[in-house]
Amino acid sequence: MGYPDRPGWLRYIQRTPYSDGVLYGSPTVENVGKPTIIEITAYNRRTFETARHNLIINIMSTEDLFLPYQAEFFIKNMNVEEMLASEILGDFLGAVKNVWQPDKLNAINITSALDRGGRVPLPINDMKEGVYVTVGADASFSSCLREVKNPQNQLRCSQEMEPLISCDKKFRAQFHIDWCKISLVDKTKEVSVSPKVMPREGILPDGGEYKPPSDTVKSRDYYSDFLLTLAVPSAVALVLFIILGYIMCCRREGMEKRNMQTSDIQLVHHSAIQKSTKDLRDMSKNREIAWPLSTLPVFHPVTGEIVTPLHPDSYDNTSMPLMQTQQNLPHQTRIPQQQTTGKWYP
């Protein structure tokens, strides 16, 4: 009540909409003395009738029921809602008591295998998800329970074989126990010492309670930040631009200064070479040279008369064939063919 979900220690399971819903879990020491109110709301899907009920759970301390020896069993052929039934749980505790024979025996925790990371079983009737049951007692573990820890059974478990347990026949009729997953815990030998956390790399010292900043935050002047990010780089760039412009524009020597530093003989020599080069280029534009015979597109095959070629600029040389046929040759003289006399034999 008053929260969006159940407490962390409390679980709920309901297999089908027509089966009973089950609330189960094991509270911790922090929940002792705090009544837990579970607000249950249900409605009828056909008539939409709504009902509400408050379930009050009073959690009491178990200091008077000290069970230091705890054994956790994994039952493969049971689901959690089946194990929570009073008659099934009573039968299991009776079988454990016959094997263990303590004065006080009680179930401490019942957890589904799915909550421990188990897989959902196949949709077969005989396949169960399994359930973990933790049982506490005031007497030391019996010799039958200690058989799981001997080297032979540990070797068989490592080879995925069932260990040889003498008391397994007392459970086999109703409960299939995976003895390789049994866990034996002796609380009398455990010394719970809370390690002291030392501040070092990766661990910050304890600064006490967190104090958030006040709501009244002072306004900040960003003028100095503007000068540092924009004005200073712009001023440096402007100075560099002025220096570069002075070097490129105001420090040029020019042709007059170059001629003043050059001797007269070199200037006359350079001028003569330049004038001669200019004259040669002018003369090359007006020269008329006969085209070589090899460059003619065609010539007379008998007389060798040269046909004036077309200038390359006056036709499109890309569409003209490399060699013209003799039918298209100008000034062509046809040579008659001589006919031989006599008979012709095929």
Side-chain angles (χ1 to χ4, degrees):
M1 178 179 291
Y3 293 92
D5 201 356
R6 302 180 306 275
W9 57 269
L10 189 61
R11 295 182 176 89
Y12 175 76
I13 187 171
Q14 186 179 12
R15 294 292 176 179
T16 63
Y18 303 98
S19 60
D20 295 337
V22 180
L23 280 170
Y24 69 100
S26 298
T28 58
V29 182
E30 291 78 8
N31 306 116
V32 174
K34 299 178 182 178
T36 303
I37 303 176
I38 306 299
E39 187 178 16
I40 302 174
T41 303
Y43 71 94
N44 192 329
R45 293 185 177 181
R46 296 181 180 179
T47 62
F48 296 98
E49 182 181 359
T50 305
R52 180 172 295 177
H53 176 71
N54 292 336
L55 175 64
I56 302 176
I57 302 176
N58 294 317
I59 302 172
M60 297 178 295
S61 177
T62 58
E63 294 180 355
D64 55 343
L65 188 63
F66 182 64
L67 305 175
Y69 302 96
Q70 299 179 4
E72 185 181 61
F73 299 87
F74 177 63
I75 305 173
K76 297 185 291 184
N77 64 328
M78 288 287 175
N79 290 334
V80 62
E81 68 273 11
E82 298 174 350
M83 197 66 197
L84 287 171
S86 59
E87 61 275 6
I88 301 297
L89 183 59
D91 295 341
F92 178 74
L93 293 178
V96 175
K97 191 171 184 179
N98 292 334
V99 173
W100 201 336
Q101 296 181 357
D103 296 335
K104 296 180 181 180
L105 184 69
N106 196 3
I108 298 177
N109 189 9
I110 299 176
T111 308
S112 172
L114 299 181
D115 298 332
R116 297 285 189 89
R119 296 183 178 181
V120 179
L122 296 174
I124 304 177
N125 295 331
D126 296 334
M127 296 293 293
K128 305 290 184 178
E129 63 190 28
V131 60
Y132 288 90
V133 180
T134 304
V135 179
D138 58 349
S140 181
F141 304 109
S142 62
S143 59
C144 174
L145 298 179
R146 296 181 184 273
E147 292 178 1
V148 184
K149 300 299 181 180
N150 59 46
Q152 292 80 6
N153 288 329
Q154 292 294 324
L155 179 61
R156 295 179 66 90
C157 289
S158 62
Q159 296 176 355
E160 297 183 357
M161 300 173 60
E162 292 187 2
L164 301 177
I165 307 298
S166 60
C167 58
D168 180 57
K169 58 183 179 180
K170 296 184 179 180
F171 296 92
R172 183 65 62 176
Q174 189 175 2
F175 306 100
H176 295 174
I177 298 178
D178 189 351
W179 293 100
C180 292
K181 292 185 179 181
I182 189 173
S183 175
L184 304 178
V185 179
D186 189 357
K187 294 288 185 179
T188 59
K189 297 181 180 180
E190 293 184 357
V191 180
S192 60
V193 179
S194 59
K196 186 178 180 180
V197 180
M198 299 297 295
R200 58 182 183 271
E201 184 180 359
I203 301 178
L204 300 178
D206 187 10
E209 185 179 358
Y210 173 72
K211 296 180 180 180
S214 59
D215 298 337
T216 59
V217 181
K218 296 181 181 180
S219 60
R220 182 178 176 182
D221 187 11
Y222 292 95
Y223 182 73
S224 58
D225 297 340
F226 170 76
L227 293 179
L228 291 176
T229 55
L230 294 179
V232 174
S234 301
V236 174
L238 180 61
V239 172
L240 295 177
F241 178 76
I242 293 174
I243 295 174
L244 183 61
Y246 172 74
I247 294 174
M248 297 184 64
C249 300
C250 302
R251 299 289 296 175
R252 295 182 63 182
E253 296 180 355
M255 296 179 60
E256 295 180 359
K257 186 175 181 180
R258 185 197 64 184
N259 295 337
M260 291 176 61
Q261 295 178 356
T262 307
S263 61
D264 295 339
I265 298 176
Q266 291 182 358
L267 291 176
V268 172
H269 182 66
H270 176 73
S271 178
I273 294 175
Q274 189 176 12
K275 184 176 182 303
S276 302
T277 303
K278 184 176 181 301
D279 294 342
L280 289 174
R281 290 180 177 177
D282 293 339
M283 292 172 62
S284 64
K285 296 179 181 179
N286 300 325
R287 64 185 176 181
E288 293 293 335
I289 302 175
W291 289 73
L293 186 61
S294 61
T295 59
L296 295 178
V298 69
F299 58 91
H300 200 278
V302 178
T303 61
E305 182 181 358
I306 298 175
V307 179
T308 304
L310 298 176
H311 197 271
D313 298 336
S314 62
Y315 65 90
D316 186 8
N317 54 6
T318 59
S319 60
M320 187 174 183
L322 295 178
M323 297 296 295
Q324 294 183 357
T325 59
Q326 292 184 357
Q327 288 79 3
N328 299 330
L329 296 178
H331 309 286
Q332 180 180 6
T333 302
R334 186 177 182 84
I335 301 176
Q337 298 180 358
Q338 296 179 0
Q339 297 180 356
T340 59
T341 58
K343 292 184 179 182
W344 176 80
Y345 298 93

